[in-house]
Amino acid sequence: MCRVVDLQQAVLAKNDACAHTLREDLAARGTALVNLLSSPGSGKTALLERELTLARSRQIPVAALTADLATENDAVRLARSQVPVKQVLTDGLCHLEAEMLGGHLHGWLPADTRLLFIENVGNLVCPASYDLGETLRVVLASVTEGEDKPLKYPTAFGLAHLVVVTKTDIADAVAFDEAEFRANVERINPGVEVVLTSARGGTGDGVLLDRALAARDGAPVHIPVMTRKSHHVHDVEDGRAGDAPDGEHTHAPHAHGGHPHPTGSDTVASSRS
């Protein structure tokens, strides 16, 4: 009998193969993919809108694809930046997968795109296991979510190339302990950069864009300890990072990668200067 874990590993292996192909295809056209992961309500749409608007003002060709279970709200907001934007409705699927993403990019992504931002489904569990062919994986957490967020979601934070803290304009009001948060990030993902931002206050404006452009142009990207020889760490969150021997995973698979998923429908909201 096929075990759930075997099926999950097969799903991830297929996704890895698709991600590898997508990464090569994007690199060949000079496009870097930035995968943004966070909990719902972290402020990633607001931050991304500012970064896209800034990119347009600098005449940097960028595009964004945003994924949600329902509504086109985020695409409408991001389209205000006047860069190409596409909404993908996942019809209940809690994450994007590489094959699905590639299908939505085909025939849509402008040829001159230097940076493609992917606003993944708001979820720090499922998306963490799926490589999308990204050059840069960014995990965001708002100051309202608590300093222990990295410890609660070690896979998401442990595989990040960059960690972004949002809503810092209200950090004092919610008694956010920056030092403790940074210590917890360091415990899970030693050496990863932590950037402070505020979409309302303007703190950190352009930092995400600058880091993405640098990665696109070949600057070294942080290599998480948790990555080891395998890109993926599966999703039973046990709070440990970097303890497994090379080539072994530190987490067991989460249960729902093995059942059939819908391919998702999409809506396009785009404009170009």
Side-chain angles (χ1 to χ4, degrees):
M1 186 184 340
C2 178
R3 297 182 303 159
V4 171
V5 66
D6 293 333
L7 184 57
Q8 174 70 3
Q9 289 173 349
V11 169
L12 290 177
K14 178 183 178 182
N15 183 82
D16 279 355
C18 292
H20 178 74
T21 299
L22 182 57
R23 183 177 286 109
E24 288 190 333
D25 290 346
L26 289 172
R29 60 187 290 167
T31 303
L33 191 157
V34 182
N35 185 11
L36 304 178
L37 286 72
S38 78
S39 301
S42 68
K44 66 179 177 294
T45 305
L47 177 65
L48 182 54
E49 183 183 352
R50 289 182 70 96
E51 298 296 294
L52 295 176
T53 301
L54 181 59
R56 183 174 180 273
S57 73
R58 294 182 182 177
Q59 298 183 320
I60 301 167
V62 299
L65 181 147
T66 181
D68 272 308
L69 277 66
T71 82
E72 302 167 20
N73 295 348
D74 287 352
V76 171
R77 291 176 60 187
L78 295 179
R80 296 185 303 204
S81 66
Q82 300 183 49
V83 306
V85 174
K86 185 172 188 177
Q87 177 79 58
V88 171
L89 301 181
T90 64
D91 297 330
L93 182 60
C94 63
H95 60 276
L96 286 172
E97 296 178 7
E99 184 176 23
M100 177 198 310
L101 176 60
H104 287 297
L105 296 180
H106 182 70
W108 168 74
L109 186 66
D112 64 345
T113 304
R114 292 179 64 190
L115 296 176
L116 170 63
F117 290 92
I118 304 297
E119 185 179 14
N120 219 315
V121 180
N123 182 345
L124 281 177
V125 180
C126 309
S129 289
Y130 288 84
D131 183 4
L132 296 183
E134 64 259 28
T135 301
L136 196 67
R137 177 179 288 210
V138 182
V139 175
L140 301 89
S142 73
V143 298
T144 61
E145 295 178 65
E147 296 81 1
D148 61 347
K149 202 76 171 184
L151 304 181
K152 290 182 176 180
Y153 298 93
T155 302
F157 284 88
L159 290 175
H161 301 125
L162 178 68
V163 174
V164 174
V165 180
T166 61
K167 306 184 182 181
T168 57
D169 53 302
I170 60 171
D172 290 343
V174 297
F176 176 69
D177 189 330
E178 180 187 339
E180 182 179 348
F181 179 85
R182 287 181 179 275
N184 289 335
V185 170
E186 183 69 14
R187 175 179 170 188
I188 296 299
N189 191 347
V192 70
E193 182 181 11
V194 177
V195 173
L196 304 182
T197 67
S198 167
R200 287 188 174 181
T203 301
D205 273 3
V207 175
L208 176 58
L209 180 61
D210 290 342
R211 297 297 186 274
L213 284 170
R216 184 262 183 195
D217 292 338
V221 173
H222 170 72
I223 301 175
V225 171
M226 193 180 283
T227 303
R228 298 291 182 174
K229 291 182 180 179
S230 172
H231 182 82
H232 287 297
V233 181
H234 299 157
D235 272 325
V236 171
E237 307 288 349
D238 65 3
R240 295 174 295 171
D243 298 329
D246 284 356
E248 293 185 9
H249 297 310
T250 58
H251 299 277
H254 68 84
H256 75 191
H259 63 64
H261 289 313
T263 57
S265 57
D266 65 83
T267 302
V268 179
S270 66
S271 57
R272 301 206 64 185
S273 55

PDB file of all heavy atoms in Angstrom, residues 202-216:
ATOM      1  N   GLY A 202       7.192  54.636   5.895  1.00  0.00           N
ATOM      2  CA  GLY A 202       8.267  54.756   4.922  1.00  0.00           C
ATOM      3  C   GLY A 202       9.574  54.110   5.344  1.00  0.00           C
ATOM      4  O   GLY A 202      10.540  54.122   4.574  1.00  0.00           O
ATOM      5  N   THR A 203       9.614  53.527   6.534  1.00  0.00           N
ATOM      6  CA  THR A 203      10.828  52.845   6.972  1.00  0.00           C
ATOM      7  C   THR A 203      11.151  51.680   6.035  1.00  0.00           C
ATOM      8  O   THR A 203      10.282  50.879   5.713  1.00  0.00           O
ATOM      9  CB  THR A 203      10.653  52.298   8.401  1.00  0.00           C
ATOM     10  OG1 THR A 203      10.359  53.378   9.281  1.00  0.00           O
ATOM     11  CG2 THR A 203      11.905  51.575   8.877  1.00  0.00           C
ATOM     12  N   GLY A 204      12.386  51.608   5.593  1.00  0.00           N
ATOM     13  CA  GLY A 204      12.805  50.488   4.763  1.00  0.00           C
ATOM     14  C   GLY A 204      12.351  50.544   3.322  1.00  0.00           C
ATOM     15  O   GLY A 204      12.489  49.553   2.588  1.00  0.00           O
ATOM     16  N   ASP A 205      11.843  51.672   2.877  1.00  0.00           N
ATOM     17  CA  ASP A 205      11.411  51.792   1.491  1.00  0.00           C
ATOM     18  C   ASP A 205      12.554  51.434   0.540  1.00  0.00           C
ATOM     19  O   ASP A 205      13.667  51.958   0.664  1.00  0.00           O
ATOM     20  CB  ASP A 205      10.958  53.227   1.186  1.00  0.00           C
ATOM     21  CG  ASP A 205       9.494  53.461   1.513  1.00  0.00           C
ATOM     22  OD1 ASP A 205       8.852  52.527   2.022  1.00  0.00           O
ATOM     23  OD2 ASP A 205       8.997  54.571   1.250  1.00  0.00           O
ATOM     24  N   GLY A 206      12.285  50.540  -0.385  1.00  0.00           N
ATOM     25  CA  GLY A 206      13.255  50.184  -1.404  1.00  0.00           C
ATOM     26  C   GLY A 206      14.236  49.104  -1.024  1.00  0.00           C
ATOM     27  O   GLY A 206      14.970  48.612  -1.894  1.00  0.00           O
ATOM     28  N   VAL A 207      14.267  48.697   0.241  1.00  0.00           N
ATOM     29  CA  VAL A 207      15.232  47.675   0.654  1.00  0.00           C
ATOM     30  C   VAL A 207      14.925  46.340  -0.010  1.00  0.00           C
ATOM     31  O   VAL A 207      15.820  45.665  -0.533  1.00  0.00           O
ATOM     32  CB  VAL A 207      15.263  47.526   2.184  1.00  0.00           C
ATOM     33  CG1 VAL A 207      16.174  46.365   2.581  1.00  0.00           C
ATOM     34  CG2 VAL A 207      15.743  48.811   2.836  1.00  0.00           C
ATOM     35  N   LEU A 208      13.648  45.939  -0.011  1.00  0.00           N
ATOM     36  CA  LEU A 208      13.266  44.689  -0.653  1.00  0.00           C
ATOM     37  C   LEU A 208      13.605  44.733  -2.142  1.00  0.00           C
ATOM     38  O   LEU A 208      14.142  43.765  -2.701  1.00  0.00           O
ATOM     39  CB  LEU A 208      11.774  44.429  -0.450  1.00  0.00           C
ATOM     40  CG  LEU A 208      11.191  43.193  -1.154  1.00  0.00           C
ATOM     41  CD1 LEU A 208      11.910  41.933  -0.716  1.00  0.00           C
ATOM     42  CD2 LEU A 208       9.699  43.088  -0.871  1.00  0.00           C
ATOM     43  N   LEU A 209      13.294  45.841  -2.785  1.00  0.00           N
ATOM     44  CA  LEU A 209      13.596  46.003  -4.199  1.00  0.00           C
ATOM     45  C   LEU A 209      15.101  45.910  -4.442  1.00  0.00           C
ATOM     46  O   LEU A 209      15.557  45.215  -5.373  1.00  0.00           O
ATOM     47  CB  LEU A 209      13.056  47.341  -4.689  1.00  0.00           C
ATOM     48  CG  LEU A 209      13.289  47.690  -6.156  1.00  0.00           C
ATOM     49  CD1 LEU A 209      12.624  46.684  -7.082  1.00  0.00           C
ATOM     50  CD2 LEU A 209      12.779  49.107  -6.455  1.00  0.00           C
ATOM     51  N   ASP A 210      15.877  46.584  -3.619  1.00  0.00           N
ATOM     52  CA  ASP A 210      17.335  46.559  -3.784  1.00  0.00           C
ATOM     53  C   ASP A 210      17.905  45.161  -3.592  1.00  0.00           C
ATOM     54  O   ASP A 210      18.795  44.722  -4.342  1.00  0.00           O
ATOM     55  CB  ASP A 210      17.996  47.518  -2.796  1.00  0.00           C
ATOM     56  CG  ASP A 210      17.733  48.975  -3.124  1.00  0.00           C
ATOM     57  OD1 ASP A 210      17.337  49.259  -4.270  1.00  0.00           O
ATOM     58  OD2 ASP A 210      17.917  49.824  -2.228  1.00  0.00           O
ATOM     59  N   ARG A 211      17.417  44.435  -2.575  1.00  0.00           N
ATOM     60  CA  ARG A 211      17.922  43.078  -2.334  1.00  0.00           C
ATOM     61  C   ARG A 211      17.545  42.161  -3.491  1.00  0.00           C
ATOM     62  O   ARG A 211      18.327  41.287  -3.903  1.00  0.00           O
ATOM     63  CB  ARG A 211      17.348  42.519  -1.026  1.00  0.00           C
ATOM     64  CG  ARG A 211      17.742  43.281   0.222  1.00  0.00           C
ATOM     65  CD  ARG A 211      19.243  43.246   0.482  1.00  0.00           C
ATOM     66  NE  ARG A 211      19.554  43.877   1.762  1.00  0.00           N
ATOM     67  CZ  ARG A 211      19.749  45.186   1.925  1.00  0.00           C
ATOM     68  NH1 ARG A 211      19.687  45.999   0.878  1.00  0.00           N
ATOM     69  NH2 ARG A 211      20.028  45.681   3.118  1.00  0.00           N
ATOM     70  N   ALA A 212      16.348  42.332  -4.027  1.00  0.00           N
ATOM     71  CA  ALA A 212      15.899  41.498  -5.148  1.00  0.00           C
ATOM     72  C   ALA A 212      16.731  41.771  -6.395  1.00  0.00           C
ATOM     73  O   ALA A 212      17.133  40.839  -7.107  1.00  0.00           O
ATOM     74  CB  ALA A 212      14.422  41.740  -5.418  1.00  0.00           C
ATOM     75  N   LEU A 213      16.989  43.043  -6.671  1.00  0.00           N
ATOM     76  CA  LEU A 213      17.801  43.395  -7.832  1.00  0.00           C
ATOM     77  C   LEU A 213      19.226  42.864  -7.691  1.00  0.00           C
ATOM     78  O   LEU A 213      19.820  42.378  -8.668  1.00  0.00           O
ATOM     79  CB  LEU A 213      17.832  44.912  -8.007  1.00  0.00           C
ATOM     80  CG  LEU A 213      16.577  45.556  -8.586  1.00  0.00           C
ATOM     81  CD1 LEU A 213      16.669  47.070  -8.480  1.00  0.00           C
ATOM     82  CD2 LEU A 213      16.361  45.134 -10.039  1.00  0.00           C
ATOM     83  N   ALA A 214      19.766  42.955  -6.494  1.00  0.00           N
ATOM     84  CA  ALA A 214      21.116  42.448  -6.261  1.00  0.00           C
ATOM     85  C   ALA A 214      21.174  40.940  -6.518  1.00  0.00           C
ATOM     86  O   ALA A 214      22.107  40.441  -7.163  1.00  0.00           O
ATOM     87  CB  ALA A 214      21.558  42.763  -4.833  1.00  0.00           C
ATOM     88  N   ALA A 215      20.170  40.205  -6.029  1.00  0.00           N
ATOM     89  CA  ALA A 215      20.122  38.759  -6.259  1.00  0.00           C
ATOM     90  C   ALA A 215      19.988  38.457  -7.744  1.00  0.00           C
ATOM     91  O   ALA A 215      20.631  37.547  -8.275  1.00  0.00           O
ATOM     92  CB  ALA A 215      18.962  38.148  -5.486  1.00  0.00           C
ATOM     93  N   ARG A 216      19.165  39.241  -8.423  1.00  0.00           N
ATOM     94  CA  ARG A 216      18.972  39.062  -9.860  1.00  0.00           C
ATOM     95  C   ARG A 216      20.269  39.274 -10.611  1.00  0.00           C
ATOM     96  O   ARG A 216      20.560  38.593 -11.603  1.00  0.00           O
ATOM     97  CB  ARG A 216      17.889  40.021 -10.338  1.00  0.00           C
ATOM     98  CG  ARG A 216      17.509  39.886 -11.814  1.00  0.00           C
ATOM     99  CD  ARG A 216      18.214  40.909 -12.663  1.00  0.00           C
ATOM    100  NE  ARG A 216      17.826  40.857 -14.057  1.00  0.00           N
ATOM    101  CZ  ARG A 216      18.500  41.447 -15.042  1.00  0.00           C
ATOM    102  NH1 ARG A 216      19.593  42.151 -14.770  1.00  0.00           N
ATOM    103  NH2 ARG A 216      18.097  41.345 -16.306  1.00  0.00           N
TER     104      ARG A 216
END
